[in-house]
Amino acid sequence: MAGLFFMQKKHVSFSKRVFTGLGLGIVFGFIIHLVYGTASDVTTDTIDWFNIIGNGYVKLLQMVVMPLVFISIIGAFTKLKLTKNIGKISFLVIALLLGTTAVSAALGIGSALGFNLDGIHLSEGDAEKARNELLQEKVVGVQDMTIPQQIVELLPSNPFQDLTGARPTSTIAVVIFAAFIGVAYLGVRRKQPEQAEFFAKIIDTLYTIIMRVVTLILRLTPYGILAIITRVTATSDYDAIVKLGKFVIASYVALIAMFIVHLLLITIAGLNPVNYMKKALPTLTFAFSSRSSAGTLPLNIKTQTKDLGVSEGIANFAGSFGLSIGQNGCAGIYPAMLAIMVAPSAGIDVTSFSFIITLILVVAISSFGVAGVGGGATFAALIVLSVLNLPVAIVGLLISVEPLIDMGRTALNVSGAMTTGVLTAKITGELDQETYQQSNIAEA
């Protein structure tokens, strides 16, 4: 911790401090694991203290998510940044998120088939049994909610409740509510310009203050990553990881392949993928360590706007919708792989073209409705397996390696949202090419 503070005082770059925190966390976590094990009192007590920093940092980020999304979307209207292209931007963001999820599902299918994954031989321990009992209770609710009902759940019935993050769909609901206020502002500006100008100044002031809060919190990123990754490396069940190593490797092959697809899309758009990689890496590192797409949102938006040159409105649309729609890792690759693993037990030929196409379509459509039932890879898998009438028990059998795989899935989710923001800005002409081409990364 003292070393990171010293680096900050010496104005060492933000990205170097982030990776230093990551490295220190890995080393310290392994030392704790090797010396004391995962279940000792020393390990538990040490991690409890580290959680003050790690979990505290994530909570601070989550604290500013709703205010940031709400003010930024309205600010995009008051600054005329979304007025002309609001319909086109919304369509592109959603289409790109769903499209990349379909591609990620195809890659997940390919990886599962290539590694010849089979869910029949997975064993069920006490932890897995308890997890499956819980899943059986929840799957009923998933099956009872249709896709149209899940879409209706995205709409805000009580925006003040959604501003507290009370529902899984709260983030999208806040975006919709803020967009309504933005459209209303445009109407007031035409008829009552003085009131509209006063409102715009209030929003601009609030936005400046919120961004200052975000900056203060982001300065803690290296410390947060150090604490979080220490917990992960100190408490991971490495024996279980070895036993399920084939599934872990297959998962990361698919995740890396999809990340390469993101870079290819950036290249096809005429942009330098190396610049994207360099500037996105600190954000993806935090997403990987924290396993929280919501917690990564402030850093996601900051990277898009300050480092990649994406306009504020598009960055907030892409970042916010990316929390609940078209998550490439959690709602794309993971459910597709599980479906391939369990389908043979139901007498389905997983190599048939019709089944593969059906699975890709179900995954893509279900990724839009995941937020309506709680979001996350578990619910995405439950929805897909339930729609295809496949057994859902496999979801609980992978609990031992869930944290390790979830790290990569979360990083891919965030990369998908950022790629969507960059591509949308490029297509609509709202990408600051000069900012994107700069080699330096903006300091927190």
Side-chain angles (χ1 to χ4, degrees):
M1 295 290 182
L4 291 174
F5 182 75
F6 178 77
M7 292 175 69
Q8 184 175 341
K9 286 296 183 182
K10 290 296 183 179
H11 302 290
V12 176
S13 69
F14 179 72
S15 57
K16 289 180 180 178
R17 285 184 278 129
V18 167
F19 288 114
T20 299
L22 178 67
L24 290 174
I26 292 174
V27 171
F28 191 54
F30 272 126
I31 291 174
I32 294 174
H33 181 86
L34 291 174
V35 175
Y36 299 105
T38 60
S40 70
D41 292 338
V42 174
T43 300
T44 302
D45 292 343
T46 302
I47 296 305
D48 278 345
W49 285 102
F50 268 82
N51 282 342
I52 295 176
I53 300 173
N55 292 347
Y57 174 64
V58 173
K59 284 184 177 294
L60 289 176
L61 285 170
Q62 292 172 336
M63 173 187 72
V64 298
V65 167
M66 291 306 179
L68 176 62
V69 170
F70 181 66
I71 296 298
S72 296
I73 295 297
I74 298 176
F77 283 89
T78 59
K79 297 173 184 176
L80 301 179
K81 293 187 177 180
L82 288 179
T83 306
K84 297 180 180 179
N85 295 322
I86 180 65
K88 185 177 182 181
I89 288 171
S90 301
F91 173 79
L92 284 172
V93 166
I94 295 175
L96 285 169
L97 287 171
L98 294 180
T100 52
T101 299
V103 174
S104 68
L107 292 175
I109 292 170
S111 184
L113 291 174
F115 280 85
N116 194 28
L117 296 181
D118 185 357
I120 297 176
H121 301 297
L122 293 177
S123 60
E124 182 179 64
D126 292 337
E128 288 79 9
K129 184 177 181 180
R131 174 72 175 271
N132 270 329
E133 289 175 355
L134 180 62
L135 291 177
Q136 291 298 332
E137 296 176 3
K138 293 183 177 181
V139 74
V140 176
V142 174
Q143 291 173 325
D144 289 343
M145 186 173 288
T146 64
I147 296 297
Q149 289 173 334
Q150 293 168 18
I151 294 174
V152 171
E153 282 295 306
L154 299 176
L155 301 176
S157 59
N158 185 342
F160 298 101
Q161 180 188 33
D162 287 320
L163 283 168
T164 68
R167 299 189 302 147
T169 57
S170 286
T171 304
I172 300 301
V174 168
V175 171
I176 294 171
F177 179 54
F180 269 100
I181 293 179
V183 172
Y185 161 81
L186 296 178
V188 172
R189 190 183 62 182
R190 288 193 299 269
K191 298 180 179 180
Q192 299 170 293
E194 292 183 3
Q195 284 84 347
E197 183 180 355
F198 178 69
F199 178 78
K201 288 181 179 179
I202 293 175
I203 294 298
D204 187 50
T205 301
L206 290 173
Y207 179 80
T208 302
I209 293 173
I210 290 296
M211 288 308 298
R212 181 58 182 171
V213 173
V214 170
T215 300
L216 292 174
I217 296 173
L218 291 182
R219 286 179 178 175
L220 302 174
T221 300
Y223 308 97
I225 286 181
L226 189 156
I228 292 168
I229 205 66
T230 296
R231 179 188 65 206
V232 171
T233 52
T235 60
S236 293
D237 185 348
Y238 295 104
D239 290 336
I241 291 173
V242 171
K243 291 178 182 178
L244 293 172
K246 189 176 180 181
F247 177 73
V248 174
I249 293 172
S251 296
Y252 271 92
V253 166
L255 292 169
I256 293 171
M258 189 60 207
F259 182 69
I260 293 174
V261 170
H262 291 168
L263 297 180
L264 289 175
L265 291 173
I266 295 289
T267 304
I268 293 172
L271 299 171
N272 187 341
V274 176
N275 278 3
Y276 172 82
M277 182 81 172
K278 179 180 178 181
K279 295 181 176 183
L281 206 51
T283 301
L284 298 182
T285 300
F286 174 72
F288 183 86
S289 304
S290 67
R291 297 168 52 202
S292 174
S293 297
T296 310
L297 182 61
L299 194 56
N300 179 342
I301 293 173
K302 175 261 178 187
T303 300
Q304 287 192 59
T305 55
K306 302 298 183 183
D307 299 321
L308 297 173
V310 178
S311 67
E312 293 169 2
I314 291 177
N316 278 278
F317 263 60
S320 301
F321 276 102
L323 293 181
S324 304
I325 297 174
Q327 295 184 345
N328 291 181
C330 289
I333 289 174
Y334 187 66
M337 291 183 68
L338 296 193
I340 291 295
M341 292 172 67
V342 301
S345 66
I348 297 174
D349 179 9
V350 294
T351 61
S352 69
F353 181 76
S354 60
F355 175 73
I356 291 176
I357 292 299
T358 300
L359 177 55
I360 292 174
L361 290 176
V362 169
V363 168
I365 295 173
S366 297
S367 74
F368 193 95
V370 165
V373 294
T378 297
F379 284 107
L382 288 176
I383 292 173
V384 171
L385 295 177
S386 298
V387 170
L388 295 174
N389 292 318
L390 297 175
V392 300
I394 190 173
V395 179
L397 296 178
L398 299 169
I399 184 175
S400 301
V401 295
E402 181 76 9
L404 179 62
I405 299 174
D406 196 40
M407 295 167 78
R409 291 192 310 234
T410 305
L412 186 66
N413 292 343
V414 174
S415 178
M418 287 198 292
T419 300
T420 294
V422 171
L423 295 176
T424 301
K426 174 67 174 179
I427 294 171
T428 57
E430 295 194 31
L431 181 71
D432 186 339
Q433 300 269 7
E434 183 177 347
T435 299
Y436 185 91
Q437 295 300 336
Q438 289 175 354
S439 59
N440 61 302
I441 298 176
E443 289 299 306

